[in-house]
């Protein structure tokens, strides 16, 4: 059920990403204003994640997921009924709330399945999420190009998401942290009992994957918010091409995440991150050049497959830091994701206003270089050395067992 929720989360991402170009045109907004207004999405998401520890005192992951789905459907409804920028602001608030809640609930379940079963599932679950984005981005782009108003497109996909919400009320969920002891034991397990972001940041590997997640999500956030606008405005192409570019990005991310566990097991964590870094930086350079439509589409494709494994690999590593508190670890690892969403799309919007949509892609190049530099650090090297003996026997998650 959590996988289906994550798929529908991808559906919502694809629809709103394609719709942004139409919303900007319909409401007559500047790129800078839109980028600034978009701050509401990650700010609300970040505040929700920072309150995750308190939220889990009153709600379990099932109800958190249900409320998240309600907010995402509400986002699409607001896009459909609003003809004023105030409605757009409300939509951003709902998007931030829904994204954070669904992210926390579903990632908690995925981490628990991985911790209990010893199977690497994070890459596959994120591939499912990307699959939903591919389908909705292509579908929404095609429907708008055929003449359907983006408002009706939003309504259509809200109706598609509704059955999963209904099913969430009746389908049983797996337990999370069910076997955590009531009385905190001594030693390392006691440290997990009252774990939080500050305590997690004392772990060297957690710090590195935390920052890597920021850089990886920075790239994803630029594509999610600006790819359709980039193709629509800079290359003066029909919106279906912008939707196709974003769908290709999501498709290559889905493929990349499906093969990432094998890649890590075969080449190691460091080389996997270095490949991601090189591909991301190169795609940013190609988008800065903006020679023509097809080269730009190829650049988005390359960027998708390059950055695909960064976040799920980082999440898999983080899950091993405190396996008995995966709900808190999941929320903590989502903090950098939403922090990146706060800074990057806004910075891109203002940099684009000051220069151009293609020049602002220098932010992607910087993120790629940053991932490469961090991959050369000691924590990643130690994780690789610790994973080497088990790599020949297992793939994926066995490469992520070293933590300190």
């Amino acid at each position: 059920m959590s996988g289906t929720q994550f798929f529908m989360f991808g559906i919502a991402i694809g629809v709103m990403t394609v719709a942004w170009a139409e919303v900007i045109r319909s409401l007559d907004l500047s790129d800078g204003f839109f980028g600034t207004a978009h701050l509401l999405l990650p700010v609300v998401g970040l505040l929700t994640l920072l309150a995750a520890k308190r939220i889990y005192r009153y709600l379990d992951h099932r109800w958190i997921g249900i409320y998240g789905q309600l907010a995402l459907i509400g986002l699409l409804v607001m896009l459909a009924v609003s003809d004023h920028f105030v409605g757009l602001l409300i939509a951003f608030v709902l998007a931030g709330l829904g994204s954070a809640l669904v992210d926390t609930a579903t990632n908690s379940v995925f981490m628990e399945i991985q911790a209990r079963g010893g199977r690497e599932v994070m890459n596959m679950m994120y591939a499912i999420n990307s699959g939903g984005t591919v389908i909705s981005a292509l579908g929404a782009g095609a429907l708008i190009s055929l003449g359907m108003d983006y408002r009706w497109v939003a309504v259509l996909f809200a109706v598609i998401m509704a059955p999963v919400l209904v099913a969430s009320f009746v389908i049983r969920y797996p337990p999370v942290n069910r076997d955590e002891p009531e009385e905190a034991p001594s030693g390392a397990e006691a440290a997990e009992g009252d774990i939080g972001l500050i305590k997690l940041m004392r772990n060297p590997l957690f710090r590195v994957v935390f920052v890597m997640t920021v850089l990886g999500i920075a790239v994803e956030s630029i594509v999610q918010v600006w790819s359709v606008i980039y193709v629509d405005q800079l290359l003066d192409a029909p919106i279906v091409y912008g939707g196709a570019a974003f769908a290709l990005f999501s498709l290559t991310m889905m493929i990349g995440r499906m093969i990432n566990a094998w890649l890590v097991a075969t080449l190691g964590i460091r080389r996997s991150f270095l490949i991601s870094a090189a591909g991301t930086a190169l795609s940013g350079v190609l988008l800065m050049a903006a020679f023509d439509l097809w080269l730009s589409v190829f650049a988005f494709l390359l960027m998708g497959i390059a950055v695909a494994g960064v976040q799920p690999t980082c999440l898999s590593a983080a899950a091993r830091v405190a396996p008995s508190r995966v709900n808190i670890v999941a929320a903590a690892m989502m903090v950098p994701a939403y922090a990146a969403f706060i800074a990057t799309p806004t910075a891109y919007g203002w940099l684009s206003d000051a220069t151009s949509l293609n020049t602002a892609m220098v932010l992607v190049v910087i993120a790629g270089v940053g991932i490469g530099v961090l991959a050369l650090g000691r924590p990643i090297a130690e994780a690789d050395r610790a994973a080497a003996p088990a790599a020949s026997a297992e793939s994926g998650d066995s490469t992520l067992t070293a933590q300190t």
Side-chain angles (χ1 to χ4, degrees), residues 375-390:
L376 295 173
R378 181 177 176 181
I380 300 299
E382 291 179 349
D384 255 342
R385 283 195 295 270

Side-chain angles (χ1 to χ4, degrees), residues 17-347:
T17 299
V18 172
W20 292 149
E22 292 293 298
V23 170
I24 287 176
R25 185 180 292 110
S26 176
L27 301 183
D28 194 25
L29 306 175
S30 71
D31 291 344
F33 179 86
F34 177 81
T36 303
H38 188 270
L39 272 172
L40 276 173
L41 192 163
V43 166
V44 171
L46 181 61
L47 292 175
T48 303
L49 290 168
L50 291 174
K53 199 171 181 179
R54 182 177 297 274
I55 292 172
Y56 267 105
R57 293 176 183 173
Y58 303 100
L59 300 172
D60 61 15
H61 57 286
R62 176 184 184 178
W63 282 101
I64 291 173
I66 287 173
Y67 286 128
Q69 291 177 86
L70 281 170
L72 290 175
I73 292 174
L75 146 73
L76 297 180
V77 172
M78 282 306 305
L79 288 180
V81 302
S82 177
D83 57 1
H84 193 270
F85 77 88
V86 174
L88 176 63
L89 299 182
I90 296 173
F92 280 140
V93 170
L94 290 171
L97 179 63
S99 298
L101 293 177
V102 173
D103 257 333
T104 300
T106 54
N107 278 299
S108 295
V109 174
F110 303 152
M111 286 181 172
E112 183 73 9
I113 292 172
Q114 186 164 300
R116 289 175 181 267
R119 296 180 295 114
E120 208 289 324
V121 300
M122 199 64 70
N123 280 284
M124 186 58 66
M125 291 300 102
Y126 271 78
I128 290 172
N129 176 264
S130 297
T133 303
V134 171
I135 293 171
S136 60
L138 284 175
L143 289 173
I144 292 173
S145 294
L146 290 173
M148 180 180 285
D149 190 280
Y150 76 89
R151 293 177 172 85
W152 285 110
V153 172
V155 170
L156 173 63
F157 281 95
V159 171
I160 291 173
M161 293 173 65
V164 177
L165 172 63
V166 174
S168 299
F169 285 93
V170 297
I171 293 179
R172 294 175 64 88
Y173 282 61
V176 173
N177 298 338
R178 179 67 59 83
D179 56 357
E180 183 182 336
E182 294 182 4
E183 294 184 5
S186 60
E189 294 182 1
E192 293 185 16
D194 191 30
I195 199 166
L197 180 58
I198 294 177
K199 190 170 289 188
L200 286 168
M201 289 297 286
R202 296 173 185 169
N203 183 287
L205 182 57
F206 185 88
R207 288 198 299 269
V208 170
V209 296
F210 186 95
V211 177
M212 278 188 166
T213 301
V214 171
L215 297 175
I217 295 298
V219 174
E220 292 185 41
S221 68
I222 289 175
V223 179
Q224 183 175 322
V225 178
W226 293 102
S227 60
V228 178
I229 301 168
Y230 176 98
V231 174
D232 180 61
Q233 294 185 10
L234 183 65
L235 303 177
D236 195 25
I239 194 169
V240 68
Y241 289 103
F246 178 63
L248 279 174
F249 171 83
S250 300
L251 177 62
T252 53
M253 286 195 73
M254 180 179 68
I255 295 170
R257 283 166 171 169
M258 291 175 69
I259 66 173
N260 187 61
W262 171 86
L263 182 65
V264 171
T266 303
L267 300 179
I269 299 172
R270 169 177 281 182
R271 289 180 180 176
S272 173
F273 279 137
L274 289 175
I275 291 172
S276 295
T280 301
L282 177 59
S283 65
V285 170
L286 293 176
L287 289 171
M288 288 182 69
F291 292 128
D292 58 34
L293 172 64
W294 298 113
L295 183 62
S296 296
V297 170
F298 170 76
F300 283 119
L301 185 151
L302 173 63
M303 189 188 302
I305 203 165
V307 80
V310 174
Q311 185 184 10
T313 301
C314 290
L315 280 167
S316 293
R320 307 288 177 159
V321 175
S324 71
R325 300 290 290 167
V326 291
N327 54 354
I328 303 302
V329 174
M333 282 300 292
M334 287 298 104
V335 168
Y338 287 84
F341 262 110
I342 290 175
T344 315
T346 305

